[in-house]
Amino acid sequence: MAFARAYRFARGASSEDVKRELASANPGSLVQVVRAGSLDNELLAEMLAAQTLRAEEADYMLAKKAEIDLLLRLAGTTQISEAIAKQGAVKGEGFVAINAGRKELSVPDGFRGAELPRKSFTHLEFSRIERAALLNAQRG
């Protein structure tokens, strides 16, 4: 089972501070920050994180680190440089922080107002999930 939460932060917020707070609130969890606008549905973040966590358990990740695997799936590519260019957080700009794990996640103090909404998938989001799931076959 996988759980994920996603939070949107405005320009000027510190991605390093956010990552540190999420990791502290949820030891052992995956934390990744991505470009603002990369996603706007917490359920999409959870689905992609679930793919990464399953890949980690089965030892077939797209990268050596789960955080990079998640970034690759979010970007829909097996190329790290392309994923960073498309979805990587830009210093000084707004960003989305994704926190994922195999158990319920705690929300750090002050993060409630930043949570992305959880909503039904759009057709585009279903396509992104499918593309992300097929990346292992592409890489193989």
Side-chain angles (χ1 to χ4, degrees):
M1 184 154 243
F3 299 90
R5 293 191 177 274
Y7 308 89
R8 181 178 296 119
F9 293 90
R11 164 181 267 170
S14 168
S15 61
E16 291 305 314
D17 288 349
V18 166
K19 287 169 33 176
R20 198 171 16 263
E21 287 188 53
L22 288 169
S24 176
N26 299 286
S29 67
L30 176 160
V31 179
Q32 178 61 284
V33 295
V34 296
R35 186 179 309 256
S38 294
L39 71 157
D40 63 359
N41 182 353
E42 188 175 72
L43 195 55
L44 176 60
E46 189 167 84
M47 182 62 73
L48 296 175
Q51 289 178 1
T52 290
L53 294 172
R54 275 195 292 275
E56 185 178 44
E57 285 176 355
D59 198 29
Y60 67 88
M61 287 197 311
L62 300 170
K64 291 178 183 175
K65 295 178 72 177
E67 293 82 2
I68 301 301
D69 181 280
L70 178 58
L71 181 64
L72 291 167
R73 291 177 193 281
L74 184 62
T77 182
T78 58
Q79 300 299 310
I80 294 172
S81 60
E82 183 181 345
I84 291 170
K86 286 169 80 173
Q87 303 294 344
V90 177
K91 189 171 179 79
E93 297 294 321
F95 61 91
V96 172
I98 301 168
N99 190 202
R102 291 179 177 84
K103 60 183 182 179
E104 283 286 342
L105 299 164
S106 297
V107 178
D109 289 340
F111 279 46
R112 283 268 178 226
E115 287 180 298
L116 290 185
R118 290 179 77 83
K119 51 193 177 184
S120 299
F121 293 124
T122 65
H123 290 292
L124 179 59
E125 288 170 334
F126 271 125
S127 294
R128 289 179 76 181
I129 292 164
E130 184 177 52
R131 185 171 51 242
L134 293 172
L135 289 174
N136 285 92
Q138 246 182 355
R139 200 182 112 215

